[in-house]
Every structure is written in C-alpha cells, then in structure tokens.
Amino acid sequence: MSSIKKIQVTFDCADPERVARFWCEVLGYEVPPPPEGFDTWGDFDRSLPAERQGAAFACVDPSGEGPRLFFQRVPEGKVVKNRVHLDVRVGTGLVGEERLAALEAECARLVALGAVQVQVLRADGFNESCIAMQDIEGNEFCLD
C-alpha cells in the first residue's frame, strides 16, 4: 500500500516575497517563523550572499492541512499560459446566482490586492460558473 505524500507548490516569479504575501492574503496563509537565530526574515535574508538575497520566500497553511507554497526568483519573465494552475475554492456547494455572487465578491477583494480578472465563465449546464484570474505577476488561477 502506498502512502499519501505531502506536496509543495512552487511559483517561479520575479519578486518572491511580494508574490508570497499576495497569496497569503488570497488563501489565509501565513509566513512561517524565520530560521532559528534570526529575529526576522529580513535579518536572515541579509545574512545570505548578495546574489541569494530576495531569491526565495514561502508561506504555509496555519492549520497544517494545505500545501506549503514556495516562491523562487527566476531571471526570465512569464511568457506563456501556465500548464498547472490553482483553483481557489470559494463557491463550493453553491449553485447558480448564489455561486456567481460569491465568486464575484471574492474577485473584487482580490482585484483590490492587485489580481486581474480575466474572464467570467458562466454555468453552461455541465460546469458551474468560475472566474479566470491572474495574480500580481500574471500567473493564472481560477475562483471556483
């Protein structure tokens, strides 16, 4: 019998801390405590060689249930659509106009944080409504 594995979701980005803090707000995640011996993440970051400063950041689900999110700086910008994306489940159990209203309310909150609404996909008799979005660096995700 195989065991279930925990996963980490990794984002390539230009500004790891900025993107991590955006996703903390989206998901209710938290920045974990800095490594032992450092009062802040800034203190830890300044202890690294110059080329590694600001190169990575992470956030975690405070309940311990969800995956750790890791953000790493890469030199290239985003060029094409993500092959994998997150679905932020805000409409679970809701249908029709009630679901769409919940999605639109969350969309408005995230747009105020810097996200971009891409497209509202309305229920079609097979799929319920969802909203395609982009985070502050253009990574696609959906409100589902």
Side-chain angles (χ1 to χ4, degrees):
M1 177 188 254
S2 64
S3 63
I4 295 174
K5 309 292 190 278
K6 291 254 183 197
I7 65 166
Q8 169 176 284
V9 178
T10 301
F11 290 69
D12 290 349
C13 53
D15 187 344
E17 183 173 354
R18 179 175 176 250
V19 180
R21 291 190 184 280
F22 169 82
W23 281 101
C24 282
E25 290 294 322
V26 172
L27 301 174
Y29 271 40
E30 297 176 347
V31 174
E36 191 172 320
F38 296 93
D39 291 331
T40 68
W41 279 104
D43 292 342
F44 171 75
D45 200 50
R46 285 185 291 279
S47 76
L48 300 173
E51 68 275 5
R52 295 293 307 148
Q53 292 179 8
F57 213 79
C59 58
V60 296
D61 176 351
S63 74
E65 294 295 317
R68 179 179 188 251
L69 302 182
F70 183 74
F71 303 84
Q72 61 187 7
R73 185 175 59 218
V74 296
E76 70 279 357
K78 184 174 178 311
V79 179
V80 298
K81 185 180 185 304
N82 298 8
R83 293 289 305 264
V84 174
H85 68 265
L86 301 181
D87 285 344
V88 180
R89 309 296 310 272
V90 297
T92 303
L94 303 175
V95 296
E97 292 303 314
E98 185 180 17
R99 178 184 175 90
L100 191 56
L103 297 175
E104 288 173 339
E106 183 66 358
C107 178
R109 183 180 83 84
L110 300 183
V111 165
L113 295 173
V116 175
Q117 179 183 316
V118 175
Q119 182 179 15
V120 176
L121 301 162
R122 294 191 166 270
D124 60 12
F126 181 69
N127 293 306
E128 271 298 334
S129 297
C130 68
I131 300 177
M133 301 193 67
Q134 292 178 338
D135 74 9
I136 57 176
E137 284 200 4
N139 297 301
E140 293 91 5
F141 69 98
C142 290
L143 297 179
D144 177 45

